[in-house]
Amino acid sequence: MKITVIGGGGVRSMFLAKSIAQKAKRLHIDELCFMDNNSEKLRIYGGMAKHVANLLCPNLEFSLTTDAVEAVKDADYVITTIRVGEDDMRARDERIALNKGVLGQETTGAAGFSFAMRSIPALAEYCELIKKYSKPDVKVFNFTNPAGVVSQALRDMGYDFTYGICDAPSGMLRSFALLYNESPNSISGEVYGLNHLSYFKSITLNGRDIMNDLIENDEAYAKTDMRYFEKELLRDRKSILNEYLYYFYYREKAVENILNARQTRGEQIRDINISMTAELSKMDIENDFEGCLEVFNKWYGMREGSYMASETGERRTTPWHFDIYEEDDGGYAGVALKFIETAQSGEKGTMIMCIPNEGSIEGLNDDDVVEITCDVDKNGCTPHHIGKVDEQNFEIIRRVKIYERLSSKAIRERDKASAVQALMLHPLVNSYSLAKELVDEYIAHNKDYIDGWN
């Protein structure tokens, strides 16, 4: 079996390689290809990923390439994790919105629309190559942000072999299991909503529903990403919230905190990655891997430690380091691998993915891509039936889903009017005049990556 990673020169490449290599023998994965169009980053981060994979699974055939056709040829599964325009364009996406007092977060905020303008055309090109050169029953797991808009657009374009994946819900479940000193395999959750805008309807640990226990557990607000919310809010919503819902429930605080911070998140990551890449570029990846790993741990640890800190004023307290041999904790590669493992087993499994609604959440269209708990088998995914949900939760979901639908239409058809409608309806923009200004600026900002807008 061949797995291809498009965007294999990203700084998280070692995480992917570790996840895949640890499970390669059990899942009959014998070929792994990392592709990126940035040859220097592929040399550094792809090279470190290859070293990790060789340590864990020496028999795994691991290749690095800048040739997309070579990468996807005969692939059984493809993971896409690209950043068109790289970190500098993300930072500018966010600043354009913030300069108007609008949240500039790259997925949930207005900046996500700009990112999608670049991501969707690039991914469509890759999907065409995948249709032509990969295995006939290929599956594509998209982790490219903004995953909600991107997954919707790819499905709207007819790429039914694409699935949106995100490690935020599974990461929260893992943290809850560890909070109770239990294995992550012992916990599950019923999730409904959209990517970065989802609610846990229930959470079960060893067969027992612990939702109310969690909401009342003070330790959970100190040791998990429940730290971003007040207990009173979760009691009111009778749900555990995806961490990104902070931006909706604390909108003005998020904007104020970001504006008062020395840097936006995008600027933090840009500067950390520039410094890390510059230091690693002078080192011998193969012969001084331990030294390279020390440099990586230093810079990436800064990145992890500052996650959502500027926006919320809350910092993660657990020290971070990359352990090659520690049992893998999943991440987004873990989501993809769980799908593969379940499909191979011939049995039914349960996981959280971004797939068409198909009647699951009452009030949404069947073809609306939602983030939801689903059953997985060799034939694909079936969403759990959720039915009617809390009207306040649904109102936020509905508004953002309309934004995603209109964004998909705008980007696929290069239609400025639909783009203005999309941002006007986005709850974090909510203004026709601001939407018009943002669309004009984002079209100009992305001029080197897009064409044909009217």
Side-chain angles (χ1 to χ4, degrees):
M1 179 194 299
K2 177 181 178 180
I3 295 181
T4 293
V5 176
I6 296 175
V11 299
R12 298 175 73 178
S13 291
M14 280 198 300
F15 310 157
L16 272 166
K18 173 184 171 180
S19 296
I20 295 169
Q22 283 188 346
K23 296 178 175 64
K25 185 175 181 180
R26 178 152 53 92
L27 299 183
H28 310 291
I29 302 165
D30 50 27
E31 187 175 354
L32 181 59
C33 179
F34 275 31
M35 177 267 164
D36 206 289
N37 52 22
N38 184 321
S39 58
E40 177 63 2
K41 288 182 70 177
L42 184 66
R43 182 187 72 81
I44 296 169
Y45 299 108
M48 293 180 74
K50 185 175 183 178
H51 189 94
V52 167
N54 287 339
L55 289 172
L56 294 171
C57 186
N59 294 328
L60 180 63
E61 182 184 335
F62 196 131
S63 61
L64 305 174
T65 184
T66 57
D67 185 331
V69 172
E70 177 187 340
V72 303
K73 187 172 177 57
D74 297 325
D76 296 273
Y77 295 94
V78 179
I79 297 172
T80 60
T81 173
I82 66 173
R83 181 171 293 285
V84 182
E86 302 198 1
D87 297 325
D88 187 57
M89 286 295 283
R90 172 198 174 163
R92 290 160 62 192
D93 289 339
E94 293 177 348
R95 274 293 171 194
I96 286 170
L98 283 169
N99 287 342
K100 300 182 185 305
V102 174
L103 181 74
Q105 206 276 334
E106 71 153 347
T107 59
T108 298
F113 182 81
S114 182
F115 191 9
M117 291 173 80
R118 301 188 299 275
S119 298
I120 290 167
L123 286 168
E125 290 183 17
Y126 285 123
C127 283
E128 285 298 315
L129 293 178
I130 290 164
K131 279 174 61 178
K132 185 174 181 180
Y133 295 103
S134 297
K135 295 283 183 62
D137 57 351
V138 66
K139 301 285 190 298
V140 175
F141 301 110
N142 175 63
F143 189 68
T144 300
N145 278 322
V149 175
V150 168
S151 297
Q152 184 67 57
L154 292 178
R155 285 282 181 155
D156 289 343
M157 297 168 87
Y159 300 121
D160 293 341
F161 49 79
T162 60
Y163 299 84
I165 59 174
C166 181
D167 55 351
S170 58
M172 288 192 80
L173 287 173
R174 180 178 186 275
S175 71
F176 298 150
L178 296 178
L179 182 71
Y180 287 89
N181 296 313
E182 297 284 354
S183 164
N185 296 325
S186 64
I187 197 165
S188 61
E190 284 291 326
V191 169
Y192 69 90
L194 310 177
N195 178 247
H196 287 182
L197 199 159
S198 56
Y199 298 82
F200 282 95
K201 183 178 180 181
S202 65
I203 296 175
T204 303
L205 181 66
N206 291 324
R208 180 174 70 92
D209 192 313
I210 62 168
M211 175 75 80
N212 291 334
D213 286 350
L214 272 171
I215 291 174
E216 299 301 326
N217 189 335
D218 291 337
E219 198 176 7
Y221 295 87
K223 294 185 176 179
T224 78
D225 284 344
M226 282 170 58
R227 63 173 58 88
Y228 306 127
F229 305 104
E230 295 166 271
K231 186 182 292 187
E232 183 180 1
L233 172 62
L234 301 193
R235 284 172 174 164
D236 177 70
R237 295 294 82 227
K238 298 180 179 61
S239 298
I240 302 295
L241 311 184
N242 184 297
E243 67 223 53
Y244 284 85
L245 276 165
Y246 169 83
Y247 297 112
F248 290 89
Y249 288 106
Y250 299 89
R251 174 184 55 81
E252 78 292 345
K253 289 185 178 181
V255 173
E256 181 182 7
N257 288 340
I258 295 168
L259 288 172
N260 289 337
R262 185 173 62 87
Q263 291 180 306
T264 65
R265 180 62 174 165
E267 290 163 351
Q268 284 177 348
I269 289 177
R270 178 196 62 196
D271 292 351
I272 286 170
N273 287 351
I274 287 172
S275 297
M276 179 166 60
T277 303
E279 194 166 348
L280 288 170
S281 68
K282 301 170 185 175
M283 302 178 71
D284 187 332
I285 303 297
E286 189 60 34
N287 296 313
D288 185 21
F289 178 76
E290 289 302 320
C292 292
L293 187 58
E294 186 177 337
V295 169
F296 181 86
N297 278 329
K298 175 182 71 175
W299 290 107
Y300 201 88
M302 293 181 192
R303 172 174 168 156
E304 283 294 296
S306 62
Y307 177 73
M308 285 186 76
S310 296
E311 299 91 331
T312 67
E314 299 286 340
R315 298 184 70 90
R316 290 178 170 175
T317 55
T318 305
W320 186 91
H321 75 286
F322 180 72
D323 187 332
I324 297 171
Y325 299 101
E326 184 179 32
E327 184 178 356
D328 183 58
D329 64 358
Y332 63 95
V335 179
L337 290 167
K338 185 176 179 182
F339 182 104
I340 295 169
E341 185 170 15
T342 303
Q344 283 187 359
S345 72
E347 300 176 356
K348 185 181 291 185
T350 301
M351 55 193 303
I352 301 163
M353 298 186 71
C354 296
I355 60 172
N357 182 51
E358 295 178 355
S360 173
I361 301 173
E362 187 177 317
L364 296 183
N365 297 338
D366 285 351
D367 59 356
D368 284 341
V369 172
V370 295
E371 183 167 272
I372 199 160
T373 304
C374 55
D375 291 329
V376 177
D377 59 27
K378 63 182 180 180
N379 298 315
C381 298
T382 303
H384 285 190
H385 181 74
I386 302 297
K388 188 174 182 179
V389 301
D390 177 277
E391 65 178 3
Q392 292 186 40
N393 296 354
F394 181 72
E395 180 59 20
I396 296 177
I397 293 168
R398 185 184 68 87
R399 283 285 296 274
V400 175
K401 190 68 249 181
I402 295 171
Y403 155 76
E404 290 183 352
R405 283 190 214 129
L406 286 167
S407 295
S408 169
K409 180 179 187 295
I411 294 168
R412 286 182 290 112
E413 299 178 6
R414 295 171 174 80
D415 179 24
K416 183 176 175 182
S418 295
V420 172
Q421 291 171 7
L423 284 170
M424 178 185 69
L425 286 169
H426 194 300
L428 301 179
V429 179
N430 203 34
S431 163
Y432 177 70
S433 56
L434 284 174
K436 284 178 63 180
E437 292 175 15
L438 284 166
V439 169
D440 284 339
E441 291 197 36
Y442 282 143
I443 289 173
H445 169 58
N446 288 301
K447 66 182 187 304
D448 293 336
Y449 300 91
I450 61 175
D451 55 31
W453 277 73
N454 52 68

